Amino acid sequence: MISKLVVIRLVIVIMGLLGMKVEVGEGRAPVLHEVGGNRFGWRLDVNFSEWAAHQRFYVGDWLYFGFDKQLISVLEVNQTGYKNCIESNYLTNITRGGRDVFNLTVAKPYYFISGRGYCNRGIKLAITVHDAPPDSSPPSSSESISKKSPTSIIISYATTTLFQPSDHFLIIMIITMIISLVWLF
């Protein structure tokens, strides 16, 4: 079975080869956060505020939402939508197959709720994403390439854009579906 980290690194390499901007702090691999603490953590009876308080979220990290898609959904909303459990006018509907991922691409607060009335029953999450921490000691120019991972080297040299920016959304959706299928099996 393919590990989660291998799948995420593969996605980052593919996005880099497609000319998409991938920001990962040098020396720090992206982290996959299983929301709620386990494979099916997006559910009732989980204290998401407490779970999030024990996590540190950085640009480039991923959130994994595991849930019963017949009952529960995942919507990215603004702060007002989060506070008042407002399902309409959501920013992004993350719900696909019940094992869905979301890439944290910008340092900012993010807000997620479940629709279908479950937000009012406690299925909601607020997190703050930070820029990746800087290296403690920058490498000298002779060390810089030798200390980089193959992933960061490929991404560094993937500067040709093969697709228009409007195609990136479709590509990200396809990659998300592939990741969801990997976690399904």
Side-chain angles (χ1 to χ4, degrees):
M1 184 154 176
I2 300 173
S3 78
K4 295 173 187 175
L5 185 57
V6 169
V7 172
I8 289 174
R9 286 188 177 177
L10 179 62
V11 169
I12 291 170
V13 169
I14 291 168
M15 290 170 65
L17 290 173
L18 293 174
M20 299 170 74
K21 186 175 182 182
V22 178
E23 294 186 30
V24 177
E26 187 65 40
R28 181 186 177 279
V31 173
L32 178 70
H33 300 272
E34 291 182 332
V35 175
N38 62 45
R39 191 171 174 204
F40 298 104
W42 188 244
R43 59 182 166 75
L44 292 170
D45 302 323
V46 173
N47 184 332
F48 294 103
S49 296
E50 183 178 318
W51 173 80
H54 297 286
Q55 306 290 314
R56 188 79 170 155
F57 303 97
Y58 293 105
V59 170
D61 285 355
W62 294 79
L63 296 178
Y64 168 79
F65 294 90
F67 57 96
D68 181 348
K69 73 174 185 170
Q70 302 301 320
L71 300 174
I72 299 171
S73 63
V74 183
L75 304 173
E76 180 190 10
V77 296
N78 61 25
Q79 186 177 20
T80 302
Y82 171 80
K83 286 181 179 180
N84 300 310
C85 291
I86 300 170
E87 298 174 33
S88 60
N89 298 324
Y90 57 83
L91 303 174
T92 309
N93 184 347
I94 299 163
T95 309
R96 298 287 176 264
R99 284 136 190 86
D100 302 320
V101 293
F102 183 83
N103 188 220
L104 303 170
T105 58
V106 179
K108 67 173 192 168
Y110 285 86
Y111 304 95
F112 303 93
I113 65 169
S114 176
R116 305 176 184 152
Y118 284 95
C119 176
N120 289 316
R121 295 176 64 189
I123 303 181
K124 61 187 203 174
L125 171 69
I127 63 170
T128 300
V129 175
H130 305 276
D131 286 319
D135 282 345
S136 56
S137 60
S140 68
S141 59
S142 62
E143 296 177 291
S144 61
I145 291 181
S146 63
K147 288 196 174 184
K148 286 185 178 182
S149 70
T151 302
S152 62
I153 292 171
I154 290 170
I155 291 171
S156 297
Y157 292 104
T159 56
T160 306
T161 302
L162 302 175
F163 297 93
Q164 296 297 319
S166 60
D167 296 330
H168 290 174
F169 177 75
L170 178 62
I171 293 166
I172 290 171
M173 294 308 299
I174 291 169
I175 291 170
T176 301
M177 289 188 311
I178 291 169
I179 291 172
S180 296
L181 287 174
V182 168
W183 268 288
L184 182 62
F185 299 103

